[in-house]
Amino acid sequence: MHNGRLIDKANGYGIIACETCGFIHTDPVPAPEELESVYRDEYYKDEKPLYIERTIEDLRWWETVYDDRYEFLENESGRGSILDVGSGPGYFLKRGLERGWKVMGIEPSKQAAAHARTLGVEVENAFLDEKLASSINRRFDAVHLSEVLEHVPDPAGILKLAHSLLEDGGIVCCVAPNDFSPVQKTLSERLNFSHYWLAPPHHINYFNHATLSALLERCGFSVIGSSSMFPIDFFLLMGDNYVGNDEVGRASHLRRKRLDIMLNEPGLKEFKKEMYGIMAKHGIGREAVIFGKKEKR
Ligand SMILES: [Zn+2]
C-alpha cells in the first residue's frame, strides 16, 4: 500500500514521498498496460524523436561515460557477459563488444531495437517481465539498467528479475535521474524554480543516490560503488536557464560534453573519477550511478 506525504502535483498525478517504497513516486502509479504501447511504439518516434540522432552526435562523449562504467565492472570482476535492460539504440552494448564483452539487450521500442541490431548487437524486442526472464537460459556477469527504473511501475520487481539473471557475484549498474537533490532544492527554495524535473507518467519514480542505494539493498544487492553524471543543473545556479529552452539546454550540454571529454585526458582522469565519487557522496549530479553486487550464497 503506497502511503506518504504529498509533495506536489503534475500532469494530473500526485507526487508522494512513499514510506512503503522508500522513494518518491506518482500517486497513483500508472498500470503497466497504460505504458506498454507508449514504450513499444511511440517513445522513440513521438516522445524522443531526436534521441537516436543526438546519441550519434554525442557519441564521443557517451563513449567516455560508458567507458567509466565498463572500467568499474572490469576492475571488479573482469570482462564477461552483460545484459542491458532498456538498451535503446544499442551504443552502450556496441561499446561493450569493442571492449571484449559478450552482450545482450532487452528493449521494448521497435525502432530502437532495430537500430541496435544494425550495430551487430543481439536484442530482444520486449519488456523485461517474469515470462521473458524465465525464457533466458543464461546468467550474466553484469546487468546495466540506465534510465529505466524511473519509468517502471514496479522498480523493485525489475531489480529482482535483474538479480535472478545475474551470476552469484555479478554486478548491477543502475543509472537514474537524481531528483529533489540539494541543487534542485536550492533552485526551488532560493531561486523560485518549479519542480521542473517532474514528468509523469513517463517518470513515475524520483530517486536520489540514497534511495536508489537503499532499493538495491532491499532487492538483494550490496552497494559497492556510487558515482554521478555531470550536475548539468549547475548551469541553472550559474544563471543559464535551460528549463523549457532547448537551445540553452543544448548549449549547456555541449559545454559539459567538452568538459567531460577533456577530464578524460591523462593527468585529469583520476581526478574526474574521484570528483564524481565525491559528488555522489553529497547527492550532487544530474544522474545517480549505483553499482550493486549480488552476494555469493
Ligand atoms: Zn510506494
Side-chain angles (χ1 to χ4, degrees), residues 71-85:
E71 273 169 31
F72 184 95
L73 296 170
E74 288 164 13
N75 286 338
E76 282 295 321
S77 56
R79 277 179 191 83
S81 56
I82 188 162
L83 172 68
D84 191 13
V85 178

Side-chain angles (χ1 to χ4, degrees), residues 244-263:
N245 186 330
D246 195 49
E247 205 178 316
V248 177
R250 200 62 193 155
S252 304
H253 175 63
L254 282 177
R255 291 165 74 191
R256 70 96 167 249
K257 273 201 310 186
R258 274 192 220 133
L259 179 66
D260 268 343
I261 288 169
M262 293 320 294
L263 290 179

Side-chain angles (χ1 to χ4, degrees), residues 43-95:
Y43 196 60
Y44 281 89
K45 213 165 57 193
D46 301 334
E47 297 298 331
K48 296 222 169 173
L50 290 173
Y51 189 86
I52 293 175
E53 197 180 302
R54 285 192 168 172
T55 303
I56 294 167
E57 196 184 319
D58 293 346
L59 201 54
R60 195 168 153 228
W61 171 72
W62 275 119
E63 284 173 353
T64 68
V65 171
Y66 298 157
D67 281 348
D68 288 346
R69 294 177 199 165
Y70 279 114
E71 273 169 31
F72 184 95
L73 296 170
E74 288 164 13
N75 286 338
E76 282 295 321
S77 56
R79 277 179 191 83
S81 56
I82 188 162
L83 172 68
D84 191 13
V85 178
S87 52
Y91 288 98
F92 176 80
L93 290 178
K94 178 170 182 276
R95 195 61 175 170

